[in-house]
Amino acid sequence: MTIRPDDLAVSRKETLQEGGLDYEPKPQEAAAARRAAERRRKRPPPRFKVHYKGEFASLEPAHADKVVGHILLADLLATGSNGVLWRFV
Protein backbone atom coordinates (compact mmCIF):
# COMPACT_ATOMS: atom_id res chain seq x y z
CA MET A 1 0.00 0.00 0.00
CA THR A 2 1.34 3.41 -0.94
CA ILE A 3 0.59 6.45 1.20
CA ARG A 4 0.57 9.74 -0.62
CA PRO A 5 1.13 13.11 1.10
CA ASP A 6 -2.46 14.07 0.18
CA ASP A 7 -3.72 11.12 2.24
CA LEU A 8 -2.18 12.61 5.39
CA ALA A 9 -3.16 16.22 4.79
CA VAL A 10 -5.85 17.84 6.88
CA SER A 11 -7.76 20.61 5.22
CA ARG A 12 -7.24 24.15 6.46
CA LYS A 13 -10.96 24.43 7.16
CA GLU A 14 -10.88 21.37 9.45
CA THR A 15 -7.84 22.78 11.29
CA LEU A 16 -9.51 26.15 11.83
CA GLN A 17 -12.69 24.50 13.07
CA GLU A 18 -10.68 22.83 15.86
CA GLY A 19 -10.38 26.19 17.58
CA GLY A 20 -7.11 27.47 16.18
CA LEU A 21 -8.44 31.01 15.70
CA ASP A 22 -10.23 31.15 19.05
CA TYR A 23 -7.07 30.61 21.10
CA GLU A 24 -5.86 33.62 23.05
CA PRO A 25 -2.26 33.21 24.31
CA LYS A 26 -1.75 33.60 28.04
CA PRO A 27 0.40 36.59 29.07
CA GLN A 28 3.44 34.40 29.80
CA GLU A 29 3.07 32.67 26.40
CA ALA A 30 2.86 35.99 24.60
CA ALA A 31 5.90 37.27 26.51
CA ALA A 32 7.87 34.13 25.60
CA ALA A 33 6.95 34.59 21.93
CA ARG A 34 8.12 38.21 22.03
CA ARG A 35 11.43 37.21 23.66
CA ALA A 36 12.01 34.50 21.06
CA ALA A 37 11.29 36.93 18.21
CA GLU A 38 13.68 39.47 19.73
CA ARG A 39 16.46 36.85 20.03
CA ARG A 40 15.96 35.82 16.40
CA ARG A 41 16.14 39.46 15.34
CA LYS A 42 19.34 40.12 17.28
CA ARG A 43 21.19 36.89 16.51
CA PRO A 44 21.30 35.42 13.01
CA PRO A 45 20.91 31.66 12.69
CA PRO A 46 24.10 29.58 12.76
CA ARG A 47 25.72 28.64 9.48
CA PHE A 48 27.26 25.25 8.82
CA LYS A 49 29.71 23.73 6.38
CA VAL A 50 28.85 20.30 5.02
CA HIS A 51 31.71 17.93 4.23
CA TYR A 52 31.11 14.78 2.21
CA LYS A 53 33.24 11.66 2.49
CA GLY A 54 31.86 8.82 0.43
CA GLU A 55 28.27 8.17 1.50
CA PHE A 56 28.62 10.17 4.72
CA ALA A 57 28.23 13.85 5.44
CA SER A 58 29.48 15.78 8.44
CA LEU A 59 28.62 19.24 9.69
CA GLU A 60 30.73 21.88 11.35
CA PRO A 61 30.08 25.50 12.20
CA ALA A 62 31.03 27.84 9.36
CA HIS A 63 33.50 29.93 11.35
CA ALA A 64 37.12 30.83 10.61
CA ASP A 65 38.16 29.31 13.96
CA LYS A 66 36.62 25.86 14.51
CA VAL A 67 36.91 26.04 18.30
CA VAL A 68 35.21 29.43 18.46
CA GLY A 69 32.51 28.17 16.09
CA HIS A 70 31.77 25.23 18.39
CA ILE A 71 31.75 27.51 21.46
CA LEU A 72 29.25 29.83 19.75
CA LEU A 73 27.05 26.88 18.80
CA ALA A 74 27.16 25.52 22.38
CA ASP A 75 26.19 28.97 23.65
CA LEU A 76 23.31 29.14 21.17
CA LEU A 77 22.02 25.79 22.44
CA ALA A 78 22.63 26.87 26.07
CA THR A 79 24.84 23.89 26.84
CA GLY A 80 28.38 23.24 27.94
CA SER A 81 28.12 19.54 27.21
CA ASN A 82 29.76 18.22 24.07
CA GLY A 83 27.43 15.20 24.23
CA VAL A 84 24.37 17.44 24.00
CA LEU A 85 25.99 19.59 21.33
CA TRP A 86 26.80 16.66 19.04
CA ARG A 87 23.28 15.25 19.29
CA PHE A 88 22.12 18.39 17.51
CA VAL A 89 24.89 18.54 14.93
Side-chain angles (χ1 to χ4, degrees):
M1 178 175 156
T2 303
I3 297 175
R4 297 172 299 151
D6 293 340
D7 296 335
L8 302 175
V10 177
S11 75
R12 179 167 171 76
K13 184 177 180 181
E14 289 173 23
T15 303
L16 295 177
Q17 288 174 347
E18 292 174 5
L21 292 179
D22 296 334
Y23 181 74
E24 183 73 29
K26 295 177 179 143
Q28 64 267 28
E29 293 170 332
R34 283 192 299 274
R35 288 191 305 270
E38 184 65 20
R39 280 193 303 272
R40 282 191 300 271
R41 189 183 65 75
K42 287 182 177 179
R43 181 184 287 188
R47 297 179 56 149
F48 293 94
K49 293 179 185 176
V50 181
H51 299 280
Y52 296 98
K53 190 172 187 179
E55 296 179 12
F56 300 99
S58 63
L59 294 174
E60 69 179 39
H63 194 279
D65 185 323
K66 289 182 184 182
V67 173
V68 172
H70 285 96
I71 291 169
L72 292 172
L73 183 58
D75 181 54
L76 176 73
L77 297 172
T79 184
S81 167
N82 284 334
V84 171
L85 179 63
W86 292 115
R87 285 187 179 96
F88 285 98
V89 179

